[in-house]
Structure formats: C-alpha cells, structure tokens
Amino acid sequence: YKDKVWAALPPAVRSYQINASNSAFEGWCATHMRLQGVMEQWEGVRGKLAPSQKYRKPYVDWRRQQIRGTMHYGRWYEGPNNSDYRPDSTHDRLQDVRAPFTDAEWEERKQHRSWCMVTMGLGLWAVFAYYKVTTEVPVVWCEEPEQ
C-alpha cells in the first residue's frame, strides 16, 4: 500500500520528502566531519601537554619523608648519623628498615599485620579442591533402550 500512496503523491511533495531525508542524513554527516576535525586537533594538543621526563624532579616530598621516618633535619651537606656524603662518610638509610622504631615498638607493630593475600588465595583454593575431591557428582548414563 505504501507504493500506491507514494505514486499518488504529487511530484513536488515527493521531491520535498526525498530532499528532506537526504538533507537530514547529510546534516549528520557534516556534524560528524566537523567534530572529527575538532577531535583531531585536540589529539595534537594533548600530546604536547604530557609531562616531560626532562623536567622531572627525582625527590620525595617532605611529608612522605616524615611519614616514612626518613626525614633528615639539618644543612644540605649534613647527612644522618654524622655523614656528609663524601666517599668514606656515607650512610645508607635502607640498611636498617626498623630505624624509626624501637625494638618494643617493632614487636608491637608485628602484632597488627594484615593477612597475606597469597596465603588467603592458597587457602581458598585448598578448600575448593577439598570440596571437589570429597563430593560425589551423580553420573547419568544415557543408554539406548533395547528394541
């Protein structure tokens, strides 16, 4: 019935319908092309905004140093434990990881450790394996009936 209605319309109405449909489609295409150009420009600008390793400052800020217990107060040429960063007068802070704590504090901290995720995962896997080994799964044998 649509073909009959379409054939009954005057030629001016048909051309108007066709032009309206084509214009709507071409409008979407033009919008897409414009937005694509804007996005391509933005991609070019965004690459220039990435931070450069050339200007990176390789240091730890003072707040993290205070929290970690590695903050040293003094002149820039004076290191911890009477070291001054000369070849024979240096001090490695990573040699003693318990340095900020006394032995009593360290023992107290050991009591409040969290669960190791590897141990938890292996424990859960062991429970699952035990369940699979010890449970009985019914087996259904599909046999053809004798004729």
Side-chain angles (χ1 to χ4, degrees):
Y1 79 93
K2 291 181 182 178
D3 294 334
K4 291 181 181 179
V5 171
W6 183 254
L9 289 175
V13 173
R14 283 190 288 193
S15 66
Y16 174 77
Q17 291 280 345
I18 292 170
N19 287 337
S21 176
N22 289 343
S23 296
F25 177 75
E26 290 171 2
W28 282 105
C29 289
T31 302
H32 172 72
M33 294 297 289
R34 184 171 30 90
L35 290 177
Q36 185 178 6
V38 170
M39 292 303 288
E40 286 174 356
Q41 287 177 348
W42 167 247
E43 289 296 324
V45 170
R46 194 175 78 169
K48 297 174 187 173
L49 295 176
S52 173
Q53 286 293 100
K54 177 181 176 183
Y55 301 106
R56 180 178 174 271
K57 294 181 180 178
Y59 72 92
V60 179
D61 62 328
W62 64 273
R63 180 68 71 189
R64 285 193 178 94
Q65 287 182 12
Q66 281 182 340
I67 292 170
R68 293 174 183 168
T70 58
M71 183 73 174
H72 170 68
Y73 300 94
R75 296 182 183 88
W76 64 271
Y77 54 86
E78 293 176 344
N81 298 335
N82 298 324
S83 64
D84 56 5
Y85 302 109
R86 289 182 297 176
D88 292 332
S89 180
T90 58
H91 172 71
D92 188 6
R93 296 181 189 178
L94 297 177
Q95 290 299 322
D96 187 12
V97 294
R98 298 183 295 172
F101 308 106
T102 63
D103 289 335
E105 289 173 335
W106 189 250
E107 290 301 322
E108 195 268 333
R109 284 175 62 89
K110 282 183 182 178
Q111 295 174 0
H112 301 289
R113 291 199 173 169
S114 60
W115 285 91
C116 175
M117 294 307 290
V118 174
T119 306
M120 289 281 293
L122 288 174
L124 289 173
W125 182 83
V127 169
F128 174 74
Y130 176 76
Y131 169 77
K132 288 304 242 179
V133 167
T134 58
T135 56
E136 292 183 9
V137 178
V139 177
V140 179
W141 296 98
C142 299
E143 296 181 357
E144 295 287 329
E146 294 182 14
Q147 294 181 0

